[in-house]
Amino acid sequence: MSDIKNIAVIGSGVMGMGIAALVANAGYNVTLLDIVPKDASDRSALAKGAIAKALENKMPPFTHKRNAKRVTAGNMEDDLRKLAEADWIIEVVLERIDVKHDVYKKIDAVRKKGSIVSSNTSTLPLAKLVEGLPESFQNDFLITHFFNPPRFMRLLEVVSGPKTNPAVRQKIEAFAEVALGKGIVPCKDTPGFIANRIGVYWLMIALYEAIACGISVEDADAVMGKPLGVPKTGVFGLFDLIGIDLMPLIAKAMLDTLPEGDVFRKIYHQPDVITNMIADGYTGRKGKGGFYRLNTEGGKKTKEVIKLADGSYTAERKSTLASVSAAKDGLRALIEHDDIGGKYAKIVLVKLLHYTASLVPEISDDILAIDDAMRFGYNWKYGPFELIDKLSNSTESGTTYFARLCAEFGLEVPAIIAAANGQPLYRTQGENREYHALAGGYHKIAVPKDAWTLADIKRTSKPVKKNGSAVLWDVGDGVLCLEFTSKMNSIDPDILGMLEECTTIVPQNHKALIIGGDGENFSVGANLGFFLYACNMGAWGMMSDAIKQGQRTMMSLKYAHFPVVGAVHGMALGGGCELSLHCDALQAHIEYYPGLVEVGVGVIPGWGGCKEMIVRHMAHERRGLGGSMPKLKNLFEIIGMAKVAGSAHEAQDMLILNEKSRISMSRARLLNDAKNLALDLSKNYQAPQPANVPLPGLAAKLALSMALKGMAALGKVSAHDQLIAEALGTVLTGGKTDIKKPLTEQDILDLEHDMFMSLIRTKPTLDRIEHMLETGKPLRN
């Protein structure tokens, strides 16, 4: 266990508040201090105001509002001595060396011996930060650069100085990785460190080349997004997210510290379109809009996009570039395509990768740290050097091809590419994954024993069982792991079949089952394409069988003679949430977003989601007083409004996480944490006892219906919404029963089945399913 218990944050701006909230989310107490504002009646108004604002944020830094209670607001005059209690003090004040030095002197005067002090700076070198300060302070000082927003961005760049005690760095890295869930990247004390040094260059060169070649914003983002493994914001969407007015400030900070010969100095200039947008208030999402804006004239909402040539706006259109379609055949197919998208992708990619490769060893001695920085900090699926390897084909390596591209553009081949000498930058040797070193040869990529992935398991293992949508892996110590391989982990008959098979496979030679994988989400729900196909064929018997198969599968997991643990993260929607609910326990990443959202496609949960939520809420002593109705009204809102938890903490409130479940801050440790939970549960394991639930029946349904009619009269729900809600109310209240006769779980499952089948036959429901498949968005009809 770490001896870091109490943490202080100095500076309550966006980053300081975000870091404080992150620490509070992890369960630690935080002292948040700021200056005393002039003429303020409350001397701690800045810190208190920051907490209040954070609680109202649309992207809340807190995973639950109750976590704000762990943050104690204060000021740097009256509460300075509270820093004596802190094990780690994080400075997040103005990027001015005089301001920081003043803060450090105040900290050093009161901090306890051995406490760690770090700066969140992204522009000032560590050598300048500690200049003139006592050696004892320098021993305990380092830079810890969090990325914004700290809750969601995994990257933590760590820089230590020549006098930093190595044990200090080790302690911070271990704590930040495990307790805060950060991806640690060691950096040299160079301008912008790693991620921003590359990321800012990428954004600017992508902007300049888009203007130069005349490509539209939509097409540029289509090219720079999914084909490169970049988030769907692409380049211009990311500009809007960061804030267009911040980009000149970031660029200036870079220019103030970059070496004289750096390429960024040669290329940087502020285009007229940026100058004009800032002057007109188009600073991105925080302003009136940016490269994208929402036009609400005439009462209609129209998403518009700017024309880079003249700054006017036009309706956004979907990109139809052939090069983007060609990218399905690989990165080389994209950049070799002769349309404007291919040409744009080629010049941006070559310049980006050349710049990045040329920074080895200036910013890092190894390519792995650089790739990690871009994946953790900018959410790229692949780092720059992984992208170079992806330029390979069956006859030529990516490094050889990239060297040819450099020559084509008149660029010197970077030393790391020359050192590779035609070999890939990454390779797999036996059970090890390795990366190429600048000095030649390969270095092993270390995998911590408690932070493995299924990719690590696959290098040395063969599946225990597999089919078209699921694979069963042995992860050691008597535990099997079921991985979904369908698109977005959507649940189909193959997955249901494999889940049922697990109930006979696991007991033969194993102790427990975990369900999880390396993908972006746990599961987006049932395969809607299957349901739409069956409906269009009029195959109602097939549909009924699919619902019954899902119910049977969920119940077999719940009552299996071994523990089942869901290693859940990201979205767990619809059927994915129902699967979560039928596990013995969940090991949930803090960013876990479950919800029973079936009403969005015109049905109700049909695989036991209603049933399991009823069982949990009715048995929960704190879920409302005054009988069953308060609990059922709460459930009616949760399911009827398709509520999705915004975090694992919110999922606890919804009882999707039960009392046996645990939460992991570290995504890298989720599978191992789930395995340990499964092993703990396997000791003297006994399957749960079947539940019998008394439900109030028709009288209660009438009460729910009256509330619903009131909403309909106000125009808040459509006629089909009302039909869906009536079906949901039937299930939640138990149908034609009364509270004197408890219902079995199967009784409630039968109600789910019947109500689901009654809805799936309606045209509005089919329209909703089809619209969701086509657009990814719910249809209100």
Side-chain angles (χ1 to χ4, degrees):
M1 294 291 292
S2 172
D3 56 0
I4 296 176
K5 304 297 181 186
N6 294 300
I7 296 170
V9 177
I10 313 298
S12 63
V14 173
M15 278 302 297
M17 185 63 248
I19 294 169
L22 170 72
V23 173
N25 294 337
Y28 294 85
N29 293 325
V30 192
T31 300
L32 180 65
L33 304 183
D34 211 319
I35 61 173
V36 177
K38 292 180 180 180
D39 304 322
S41 57
D42 187 338
R43 291 167 62 82
S44 300
L46 290 180
K48 289 179 180 178
I51 296 170
K53 187 176 181 180
L55 288 169
E56 301 302 321
N57 200 315
K58 291 182 180 179
M59 287 185 64
F62 291 108
T63 53
H64 196 288
K65 290 188 175 183
R66 63 171 173 258
N67 294 341
K69 295 178 181 178
R70 296 197 182 101
V71 184
T72 301
N75 66 76
M76 285 291 286
E77 294 179 19
D78 305 328
D79 304 298
L80 191 62
R81 291 201 171 276
K82 289 183 179 180
L83 299 182
E85 304 167 10
D87 304 305
W88 181 14
I89 303 166
I90 307 169
E91 168 269 304
V92 200
V93 301
L94 290 175
E95 292 289 87
R96 279 176 43 187
I97 199 71
D98 59 328
V99 174
K100 291 182 185 291
H101 277 173
D102 181 59
V103 169
Y104 297 157
K105 289 172 184 176
K106 290 179 180 179
I107 291 172
D108 204 33
V110 297
R111 74 185 183 100
K112 65 184 177 182
K113 184 179 179 180
S115 64
I116 300 169
V117 183
S118 72
S119 173
N120 185 63
T121 185
S122 60
T123 59
L124 297 172
L126 187 144
K128 286 283 186 183
L129 293 174
V130 297
E131 195 171 59
L133 292 167
E135 188 166 325
S136 59
F137 184 88
Q138 295 187 45
N139 292 160
D140 295 332
F141 184 85
L142 69 167
I143 290 173
T144 51
H145 180 219
F146 292 82
F147 259 56
N148 191 34
R151 171 184 166 183
F152 298 103
M153 300 308 295
R154 187 176 170 190
L155 178 62
L156 180 65
E157 294 179 315
V158 179
V159 182
S160 56
K163 293 185 179 179
T164 305
N165 185 338
V168 166
R169 180 173 187 150
Q170 292 168 8
K171 184 186 292 187
I172 287 298
E173 288 183 346
F175 177 82
E177 203 284 327
V178 178
L180 303 183
K182 292 298 163 187
I184 309 299
V185 173
C187 299
K188 293 184 177 183
D189 193 13
T190 57
F193 308 131
I194 294 177
N196 279 341
R197 180 77 173 269
I198 296 167
V200 172
Y201 177 87
W202 166 62
L203 287 169
M204 297 313 300
I205 205 70
L207 170 62
Y208 299 152
E209 296 300 338
I211 294 171
C213 74
I215 193 171
S216 70
V217 165
E218 309 103 303
D219 284 342
D221 278 347
V223 168
M224 282 288 119
K226 186 177 179 180
L228 271 66
V230 169
K232 62 182 180 180
T233 54
V235 170
F236 294 100
L238 184 55
F239 267 115
D240 286 354
L241 185 62
I242 294 170
I244 293 166
D245 56 329
L246 290 180
M247 292 308 298
L249 301 178
I250 294 170
K252 181 182 182 303
M254 296 285 287
L255 293 170
D256 286 345
T257 53
L258 284 174
E260 284 300 321
D262 192 87
V263 174
F264 188 78
R265 287 188 174 279
K266 299 177 183 178
I267 62 109
Y268 181 74
H269 63 278
Q270 184 165 307
D272 290 342
V273 66
I274 295 291
T275 302
N276 294 335
M277 288 173 74
I278 295 172
D280 294 339
Y282 285 99
T283 55
R285 294 188 186 182
K286 64 182 179 180
K288 297 190 295 184
F291 290 103
Y292 296 92
R293 75 175 185 183
L294 195 63
N295 189 334
T296 57
E297 291 180 6
K300 293 183 178 181
K301 293 181 179 180
T302 304
K303 192 172 183 182
E304 297 182 335
V305 62
I306 202 167
K307 290 183 179 180
L308 296 174
D310 60 15
S312 63
Y313 283 87
T314 186
E316 182 189 17
R317 60 174 180 77
K318 186 176 181 180
S319 176
T320 56
L321 286 175
S323 53
V324 174
S325 300
K328 68 181 184 297
D329 295 322
L331 194 56
R332 190 186 288 212
L334 168 68
I335 67 173
E336 289 185 343
H337 201 281
D338 62 0
D339 72 2
I340 192 171
K343 293 172 182 176
Y344 173 69
K346 185 175 185 179
I347 192 166
V348 173
L349 199 61
V350 170
K351 289 186 175 183
L352 166 68
L353 298 180
H354 182 268
Y355 182 69
T356 303
S358 299
L359 292 175
V360 179
E362 180 189 338
I363 62 173
S364 179
D365 291 324
D366 63 74
I367 64 173
L368 180 63
I370 295 174
D371 279 350
D372 281 347
M374 297 312 294
R375 288 189 292 104
F376 297 158
Y378 279 78
N379 276 341
W380 289 9
K381 187 175 182 179
Y382 311 106
F385 295 99
E386 291 174 309
L387 288 174
I388 291 175
D389 274 351
K390 286 193 167 294
L391 291 170
S392 65
N393 63 13
S394 59
T395 61
E396 186 178 39
S397 71
T399 53
T400 298
Y401 180 66
F402 182 64
R404 287 204 292 113
L405 288 175
C406 289
E408 180 184 331
F409 281 82
L411 301 170
E412 184 179 348
V413 176
I416 183 65
I417 303 301
N421 195 27
Q423 296 176 301
L425 295 167
Y426 290 93
R427 73 177 186 183
T428 298
Q429 289 289 101
E431 63 181 18
N432 298 323
R433 189 165 178 253
E434 300 175 336
Y435 66 93
H436 208 287
L438 181 61
Y442 289 87
H443 290 176
K444 176 184 174 182
I445 300 174
V447 178
K449 64 179 181 179
D450 52 356
W452 48 269
T453 65
L454 281 184
D456 299 318
I457 299 294
K458 294 172 186 179
R459 281 194 286 273
T460 57
S461 304
K462 292 184 178 180
V464 174
K465 185 88 175 180
K466 68 179 294 185
N467 63 26
S469 299
V471 187
L472 191 61
W473 300 96
D474 189 330
V475 294
D477 299 314
V479 179
L480 295 180
C481 179
L482 182 62
E483 173 193 26
F484 300 161
T485 58
S486 57
K487 184 177 180 181
M488 299 186 74
N489 291 353
S490 58
I491 300 173
D492 59 20
D494 274 353
I495 286 177
L496 294 176
M498 183 68 82
L499 284 165
E500 285 192 277
E501 285 191 70
C502 285
T503 61
T504 58
I505 294 173
V506 175
Q508 294 174 11
N509 297 298
H510 297 84
K511 303 175 185 176
L513 174 71
I514 62 175
I515 304 172
D518 297 342
E520 185 177 348
N521 297 296
F522 178 68
S523 172
V524 297
N527 185 330
L528 291 179
F530 168 81
F531 284 101
L532 185 62
Y533 171 79
C535 291
N536 288 336
M537 294 288 291
W540 306 118
M542 180 190 297
M543 181 70 68
S544 174
D545 289 346
I547 297 303
K548 290 178 180 178
Q549 181 191 12
Q551 292 181 347
R552 184 174 65 248
T553 300
M554 301 304 167
M555 292 293 280
S556 67
L557 286 177
K558 180 176 180 178
Y559 292 106
H561 297 292
F562 55 85
V564 179
V565 173
V568 294
H569 66 285
M571 291 189 293
L573 305 178
C577 183
E578 291 178 293
L579 176 56
S580 298
L581 286 165
H582 287 84
C583 294
D584 284 279
L586 301 178
Q587 185 72 49
H589 183 235
I590 188 70
E591 300 303 337
Y592 169 53
Y593 316 123
L596 296 169
V597 298
E598 285 85 349
V599 296
V601 288
V603 292
I604 63 167
W607 286 344
C610 297
K611 179 268 301 178
E612 195 59 27
M613 290 290 274
I614 290 169
V615 169
R616 293 188 182 195
H617 282 251
M618 296 298 282
H620 200 278
E621 294 180 359
R622 297 196 301 272
R623 278 293 180 267
L625 301 174
S628 60
M629 277 308 294
K631 302 177 182 181
L632 293 177
K633 284 182 178 178
N634 183 44
L635 273 182
F636 191 67
E637 290 179 8
I638 289 174
I639 302 174
M641 300 298 289
K643 182 177 180 181
V644 176
S647 69
H649 286 147
E650 290 187 7
Q652 283 179 319
D653 280 0
M654 293 166 66
L655 301 188
I656 294 172
L657 266 67
N658 61 15
E659 68 282 353
K660 297 178 185 176
S661 299
R662 299 172 185 170
I663 296 174
S664 298
M665 288 295 290
S666 171
R667 176 70 181 88
R669 283 171 161 72
L670 181 63
L671 287 174
N672 191 72
D673 290 347
K675 176 182 169 181
N676 288 336
L677 175 55
L679 288 171
D680 288 346
L681 293 176
S682 70
K683 299 169 185 174
N684 303 313
Y685 178 77
Q686 291 185 336
Q689 292 296 311
N692 292 310
V693 187
L695 291 174
L698 294 175
K701 183 189 173 185
L702 180 61
L704 294 178
S705 297
M706 289 177 65
L708 187 65
K709 287 178 181 177
M711 294 176 68
L714 295 173
K716 293 183 178 180
V717 294
S718 68
H720 197 56
D721 288 331
Q722 194 167 352
L723 184 66
I724 298 164
E726 291 282 350
L728 176 61
T730 298
V731 176
L732 294 181
T733 57
K736 298 177 181 179
T737 187
D738 62 64
I739 204 155
K740 297 177 183 179
K741 181 185 177 184
L743 298 182
T744 66
E745 290 182 69
Q746 189 57 53
D747 289 335
I748 303 174
L749 288 173
D750 290 343
L751 282 172
E752 278 191 26
H753 169 271
D754 293 346
M755 293 300 100
F756 184 99
M757 291 302 299
S758 69
L759 292 168
I760 199 71
R761 292 172 178 266
T762 65
K763 186 178 185 303
T765 286
L766 296 183
D767 290 342
R768 289 190 179 195
I769 294 174
E770 190 168 3
H771 188 268
M772 179 64 73
L773 285 170
E774 289 179 355
T775 69
K777 299 177 181 179
L779 172 68
R780 293 300 305 273
N781 62 346

